[in-house]
Amino acid sequence: MKAYKHSVQYYETDRMGITHHSNYVRWMEEARSFLLKDIGFPYDCIEAKGIISPVTAVDCRYKATSTFADEITIVIEVASVKGARLALDYTMTNQDQILACQGHSEHSFLNRDGNFVLLKRDFPNFYQALKELENKNAF
């Protein structure tokens, strides 16, 4: 489990003064990039090794609004890592600990030819770093 902080920017809000729903998916990507960099495998290094990681599914459940200048803490957890797939869970709360959004994303790992990359076999250090963060209680 890792935590990433994001300050809501004015341009991320809509005419009603609340954060536009599409930004939560962007924040999930920011948190994912933070996580990978934090464990020593930033996206640019992964891609330099010939691995691409497309998003195969994303889900957001909006629980409360956020507004300009809120500080959102995004807790990111590795729900599962196996074969060529990674699933992540996100919990986003504001500075008052109010749950704003719960998210989930799924990713695959491919080489540049579009074939699956088996992390455990082909990139064991990366696989192990993710496996150490895996939430054993995830469904």
Side-chain angles (χ1 to χ4, degrees):
M1 172 174 53
K2 300 285 182 175
Y4 171 77
K5 292 193 184 284
H6 177 87
S7 294
V8 178
Q9 302 300 307
Y10 185 77
Y11 71 86
E12 294 174 315
T13 62
D14 60 20
R15 190 170 182 186
M16 296 177 288
I18 60 174
T19 303
H20 190 269
H21 66 276
S22 64
N23 289 297
Y24 293 89
V25 175
R26 288 186 181 108
W27 300 346
M28 289 165 59
E29 184 171 353
E30 287 177 25
R32 187 167 57 253
S33 293
F34 165 80
L35 171 77
L36 294 176
K37 184 177 180 182
D38 190 62
I39 65 171
F41 295 91
Y43 268 120
D44 56 342
C45 291
I46 293 170
E47 290 177 354
K49 294 182 186 297
I51 303 172
I52 58 174
S53 182
V55 175
T56 59
V58 67
D59 180 56
C60 285
R61 302 291 172 178
Y62 305 102
K63 304 297 184 178
T65 60
S66 62
T67 58
F68 171 63
D70 280 351
E71 184 169 270
I72 304 298
T73 299
I74 305 162
V75 173
I76 181 170
E77 296 183 82
V78 175
S80 67
V81 58
K82 52 187 165 193
R85 301 204 181 273
L86 172 66
L88 301 166
D89 291 326
Y90 310 81
T91 303
M92 301 176 218
T93 55
N94 70 12
Q95 64 280 355
D96 298 320
Q97 305 304 310
I98 296 172
L99 178 62
C101 182
Q102 290 177 305
H104 178 83
S105 65
E106 297 176 7
H107 312 265
S108 61
F109 294 96
L110 309 172
N111 63 23
R112 289 193 177 110
D113 295 327
N115 298 314
F116 285 107
V117 172
L118 299 177
L119 295 181
K120 187 175 184 178
R121 180 190 72 201
D122 301 330
F123 297 94
N125 293 342
F126 182 39
Y127 173 82
Q128 188 58 39
L130 291 169
K131 202 68 174 164
E132 288 173 7
L133 294 175
E134 190 173 33
N135 181 353
K136 306 301 183 204
N137 297 320
F139 301 61

